[in-house]
Amino acid sequence: MRQVVARGPAALEPFDVPRGRRKLVRYLGPDESVWDPRFRAYLLDDPAERGTVWVRMEPESLRANDLSYQVSSSGVRSAG
């Protein structure tokens, strides 16, 4: 599991439903009927009423951290 931390100026922009659909199709596939209902709701609900927005950011720095862990037979987590 990876964590990405980005720092820099950001702005909120109105949610663009067609763009949102393109992004979801890219990662979830073209068959919206098999998507989790929470993802479909982003496309079907009124974004303004729901409070859905895009965040546009111009990163000044990026950092990635490895947050992987393994569960041992004793149930104790250890860094991976």
Side-chain angles (χ1 to χ4, degrees):
M1 180 178 300
R2 305 257 185 223
Q3 173 192 54
V4 176
V5 178
R7 295 182 187 268
L12 299 179
E13 297 186 358
F15 186 74
D16 178 349
V17 173
R19 182 179 182 196
R21 179 173 275 111
R22 289 191 305 272
K23 295 277 185 190
L24 290 170
V25 164
R26 179 177 181 180
Y27 293 102
L28 302 177
D31 186 356
E32 294 179 24
S33 70
V34 298
W35 295 359
D36 184 294
R38 294 173 293 181
F39 292 113
R40 287 194 308 268
Y42 283 111
L43 305 177
L44 302 176
D45 294 350
D46 179 2
E49 185 177 306
R50 187 179 174 90
T52 304
V53 295
W54 290 106
V55 176
R56 179 176 295 277
M57 179 180 206
E58 296 181 26
E60 293 173 349
S61 68
L62 291 171
R63 184 180 69 213
N65 299 309
D66 184 351
L67 301 180
S68 302
Y69 65 89
Q70 296 176 345
V71 177
S72 69
S73 57
S74 65
V76 177
R77 295 178 179 180
S78 61

